[in-house]
Amino acid sequence: MCGIVGFTKKKYRSACCLEVLLNGLENLEYRGYDSAGIAVSDMEHQELKLCRAVGRISNLRRVVEEEKPEGSCGIGHTRWATHGKPSVENCHPHLAEKKTVAVVHNGIIENYQALKLQLQKEGVHFASQTDTEVVAQLLEKQYCGDMKKTLERVLPQLEGSFALAILDRNQPDTIYCARRRSPLLLAKGEDGAYLASDISALLDYTRDVWYIDEDSIAVLTPEEIMFWKDGEQQFPQSVHINWDSSAARKNGFDHFMLKEIFDQPTALRDTLNHYVDVEKGIIRRETMPFTMEQAKALKRLTIAACGTAYHAAVMGQSLLEQVAGVPAMAAVASEYRYSTMPPMEGEVFMAVSQSGETADTLAALTHKKAQGLRCLALSNVIGSTIAREADHVMYTLAGPEIAVASTKAYLTQVLLFEILALDLANLRGVLSDEELKVRIAELAQLPEQVEAILASKKTVEDFVQTQKNCHDIFFIGRLMDYASSLEAALKLKEISYLHSEAYAAGELKHGTIALVDESCLVVVTATQSVVLEKTLANMEEVRARGAELLLLGHFPVDHPHDCTVWNIPACSDQLAPILTTVYAQLFAYYMAKMHGCDIDKPRNLAKSVTVE
Ligand code: F6R
């Protein structure tokens, strides 16, 4: 989705403002966009200069090279069209009619039509179809000689969500910002002050950032950043992000997705070591969200999330129930945010979100918080909105995830559910300290087991070459294998655009089996011993309809199943779905590559979905 970057440079520093803006926008490309633009304050001519282009940042670079705008303070934006088609006119930044104000915006101004109509009645002419232009026009129209005061007057008129960065022609070294339900972070570096909607844009310059509070204003000059809320100046603490900027590069891999699949052993190790003392076989108490008393009082954990994070939640639901005996419910956040169910005594809510910014997940959390529930979050981004809104956060230590298709975030989310379930089981007295040690020792083997699967990527690649004509793929499994099948099917469809569906293996014959014929591939995941025979029987049902079969699990070399088998290393039933998922990720990746798809930036998708 849309991305914002801004920079105001100190005098006599060598940094080039245009380069900081363009580089920042390039680092935000992974979020998905269809056009991009920058605005700079040209001090000498006292004007705001715009450069905008449809398509890739390389197109914008060409426009910048041709027009050579000058300035040491500017804002930039990558746009993912919502109001108005991708075109230069609709591209951000937007200038107000008299060109005194330039604005970039993430989010949606829900009442923009009413505001636009009113401004048009007052004689204002609009140049675009966007909701954002309304903000620029309002700021110019209601300008009182002080942009901060003008913003304080304009912001209450806006309904919806926004992260705004604003240039005022009268203050050519200053950037004004404001936010409501859309992320924005600010930073000071040696060369000046920065802002961005996402830390990835700033990793080349700094690691210490400030988050702006909801409905607050920030003012950036080259030397300082000031924060204001309800007319009062605020002094928030900065947050240190210890991501390495090289973690946000491809490092020799063809795609970020493949690199991130290969990052998984490290991501699992880092996450595990943060929460668990593997040598002592204990969970680090201070990292966990429940005390013994709270664990015993827990009656239900409701988990809301979207997409892949929802699939991790489904996995979490099984783990919490099986391992800790805690009733749990995974819910799709876009539905659950409208749930009318009253909170239950002993219920705790959890939001799962890699980015920590997904609008529906945030709304579900806000809804539950308003009902008075204790709210936990599981996120990959330190200081993200969901992390800040929650009462307790468990961070996955996966590092920056750039590919739109989530891989390492998912695996570490499931790992955290494993750890949480073990901790709750131990605190509730259903798992002894000795048993916990054994389970931790199993967890500690996961990174190497994932490495072993990654080492067999050629097997996956070769199999994919036999599937050139396959256009319908079903993923079936039972219990936790059904949960991992959901994720396998999503991964494949989102990056290869092939039709794929996941079914609980026993459910297939209640309708969908009508679609199965010799043109289909059915991927059967069978790792759950309690239902193993039943899953294999379901496999025979699809074989009988002529489908080609691929079987994932642990099977002896001389297995009797007449189909391709991909084995995972020996492990418990609870950890097996993590390992089969690695095969599914590689399978999706090579299928998409064979079909020539834009793997890191699949069509119509955005990395962080910050609108409803
Ligand atoms: C799919 C994918 C998406 C996200 C979903 C939620 O590969 O990445 O389905 O999982 O948009 O995003 P987060 O986890 O950032 O809330």
Side-chain angles (χ1 to χ4, degrees):
M1 294 237 137
C2 307
I4 291 179
V5 64
F7 178 54
T8 173
K9 183 174 93 78
K10 285 183 187 163
K11 264 189 192 161
Y12 313 119
R13 300 301 299 202
S14 57
C16 167
C17 174
L18 292 175
E19 198 42 50
V20 171
L21 297 179
L22 291 168
N23 179 41
L25 292 180
E26 275 161 358
N27 288 332
L28 292 176
E29 281 193 285
Y30 76 96
R31 298 171 64 92
Y33 69 106
D34 44 53
S35 50
I38 59 162
V40 285
S41 293
D42 180 338
M43 256 189 223
E44 202 187 316
H45 302 98
Q46 287 243 322
E47 48 176 348
L48 299 173
K49 289 256 174 77
L50 288 192
C51 292
R52 303 184 293 181
V54 173
R56 297 287 191 215
I57 306 293
S58 49
N59 298 349
L60 176 63
R61 272 195 182 275
R62 271 194 292 279
V63 177
V64 170
E65 273 158 29
E66 276 161 26
E67 301 192 0
K68 300 189 176 46
E70 289 200 5
S72 60
C73 173
I75 52 179
H77 191 263
T78 46
R79 175 171 187 254
W80 190 84
T82 55
H83 295 70
K85 62 181 191 303
S87 65
V88 171
E89 301 74 54
N90 289 334
C91 195
H92 300 214
H94 289 286
L95 275 183
E97 194 174 1
K98 295 185 185 125
K99 302 186 172 33
T100 61
V101 177
V103 173
V104 293
H105 164 222
N106 284 0
I108 292 179
I109 307 297
E110 287 167 1
N111 60 336
Y112 85 101
Q113 269 169 327
L115 294 169
K116 187 169 178 174
L117 211 64
Q118 182 57 36
L119 284 161
Q120 282 170 329
K121 274 191 198 150
E122 292 167 18
V124 175
H125 293 101
F126 280 75
S128 78
Q129 300 154 312
T130 65
D131 52 337
T132 305
E133 191 184 345
V134 159
V135 182
Q137 303 288 15
L138 274 177
L139 289 170
E140 183 173 86
K141 187 87 184 151
Q142 300 185 11
Y143 188 65
C144 64
D146 175 332
M147 184 51 85
K148 182 174 89 58
K149 288 210 175 101
T150 311
L151 256 174
E152 283 167 347
R153 184 181 298 175
V154 166
L155 293 181
Q157 300 169 44
L158 307 179
E159 286 168 18
S161 58
F162 51 80
L164 296 167
I166 298 150
L167 295 181
D168 173 358
R169 191 181 62 185
N170 300 324
Q171 285 172 281
D173 69 346
T174 306
I175 306 174
Y176 289 86
C177 302
R179 70 168 280 272
R180 183 188 297 160
R181 296 203 296 277
S182 257
L184 200 57
L185 42 94
L186 312 174
K188 275 197 269 187
E190 283 181 9
D191 292 315
Y194 303 81
L195 70 98
S197 52
D198 173 334
I199 182 68
S200 314
L202 303 183
L203 286 176
D204 289 334
Y205 313 106
T206 180
R207 296 283 182 289
D208 294 302
V209 299
W210 284 267
Y211 291 92
I212 319 182
D213 242 13
E214 188 75 354
D215 276 310
S216 295
I217 294 173
V219 184
L220 283 82
T221 65
E223 308 296 336
E224 63 175 342
I225 303 178
M226 283 171 294
F227 299 86
W228 304 85
K229 186 166 184 170
D230 300 329
E232 300 280 317
Q233 190 165 359
Q234 311 279 309
F235 300 92
Q237 290 287 314
S238 65
V239 176
H240 183 74
I241 312 278
N242 58 359
W243 283 359
D244 180 355
S245 62
S246 77
R249 305 201 198 296
K250 282 192 211 153
N251 294 339
F253 284 90
D254 286 349
H255 296 95
F256 277 112
M257 183 180 175
L258 190 62
K259 184 220 162 222
E260 287 163 8
I261 291 173
F262 275 79
D263 278 348
Q264 293 182 122
T266 307
L268 289 171
R269 244 178 232 119
D270 289 350
T271 306
L272 186 65
N273 289 331
H274 181 78
Y275 291 93
V276 170
D277 185 328
V278 174
E279 264 176 38
K280 292 193 182 136
I282 54 169
I283 295 175
R284 299 183 203 278
R285 276 265 46 79
E286 69 284 5
T287 61
M288 287 288 122
F290 293 99
T291 61
M292 184 178 286
E293 205 181 321
Q294 287 169 330
K296 287 189 174 154
L298 180 63
K299 296 272 185 306
R300 181 165 79 182
L301 190 71
T302 309
I303 317 162
C306 300
T308 288
Y310 166 70
H311 296 155
V314 177
M315 205 70 107
Q317 172 183 318
S318 297
L319 287 164
L320 289 158
E321 290 182 354
Q322 280 180 34
V323 180
V326 173
M329 185 187 81
V332 169
S334 54
E335 295 288 316
Y336 191 66
R337 63 183 288 181
Y338 296 109
S339 153
T340 51
M341 284 295 288
M344 201 179 114
E345 209 193 311
E347 181 180 355
V348 170
F349 174 81
M350 180 188 258
V352 183
S353 173
Q354 185 283 128
S355 62
E357 303 296 350
T358 300
D360 286 318
T361 311
L362 176 60
L365 184 146
T366 316
H367 174 49
K368 288 289 130 180
K369 220 175 148 180
Q371 287 185 340
L373 281 193
R374 180 167 184 240
C375 291
L376 314 179
L378 208 160
S379 178
N380 193 39
V381 180
I382 295 177
S384 56
T385 311
I386 287 175
R388 281 179 292 129
E389 289 293 315
D391 299 305
H392 182 103
V393 196
M394 294 178 80
Y395 286 111
T396 46
L397 277 75
E401 193 179 64
I402 306 294
V404 164
S406 181
T407 52
K408 59 181 180 172
Y410 171 79
L411 235 58
T412 50
Q413 283 161 357
V414 178
L415 173 67
L416 271 193
F417 275 119
E418 300 264 2
I419 297 170
L420 180 63
L422 290 177
D423 191 46
L424 282 171
N426 186 242
L427 293 175
R428 287 160 72 96
V430 292
L431 190 79
S432 70
D433 291 351
E434 279 318 303
E435 286 165 327
L436 178 64
K437 274 199 180 110
V438 174
R439 304 293 287 265
I440 288 177
E442 282 170 9
L443 281 183
Q445 290 178 22
L446 265 179
E448 272 178 34
Q449 293 174 328
V450 170
E451 271 158 10
I453 295 175
L454 295 175
S456 59
K457 72 176 172 112
K458 182 82 173 50
T459 312
V460 180
E461 223 178 331
D462 290 347
F463 176 78
V464 161
Q465 289 306 316
T466 67
Q467 300 300 312
K468 285 200 173 108
N469 298 322
C470 175
H471 292 281
D472 293 291
I473 296 131
F474 292 91
F475 291 85
I476 64 170
R478 286 169 176 257
L479 305 178
M480 288 179 75
D481 289 332
Y482 169 52
S484 67
S485 296
L486 289 169
E487 176 55 9
L490 177 67
K491 214 77 313 165
L492 181 62
K493 71 176 73 135
E494 69 180 323
I495 59 167
S496 72
Y497 318 141
L498 292 168
H499 167 235
S500 58
E501 289 188 49
Y503 272 89
E507 181 66 9
L508 208 60
K509 59 176 163 289
H510 296 286
T512 310
I513 203 163
L515 295 175
V516 174
D517 62 18
E518 43 293 316
S519 70
C520 300
L521 171 68
V522 179
V523 182
V524 183
T525 306
T527 68
Q528 304 296 293
S529 31
V530 58
V531 286
L532 190 67
E533 295 310 322
K534 300 204 187 310
T535 309
L536 293 174
N538 296 135
M539 179 169 94
E540 293 312 318
E541 291 162 5
V542 290
R543 190 201 300 279
R545 271 80 192 169
E548 178 166 359
L549 296 171
L550 168 62
L551 178 59
L552 309 188
H554 341 248
F555 298 92
V557 188
D558 56 349
H559 63 82
H561 311 291
D562 180 22
C563 64
T564 306
V565 174
W566 292 346
N567 267 321
I568 56 169
C571 64
S572 69
D573 284 10
Q574 271 135 22
L575 298 186
I578 293 193
L579 298 175
T580 56
T581 297
V582 180
Y583 274 126
Q585 294 167 342
L586 289 170
F587 176 65
Y589 174 80
Y590 286 114
M591 286 292 269
K593 194 170 177 196
M594 179 173 71
H595 287 286
C597 301
D598 189 353
I599 294 179
D600 285 337
K601 300 188 199 85
R603 70 183 180 207
N604 307 338
L605 296 180
K607 182 65 185 164
S608 179
V609 183
T610 48
V611 291
E612 186 173 354

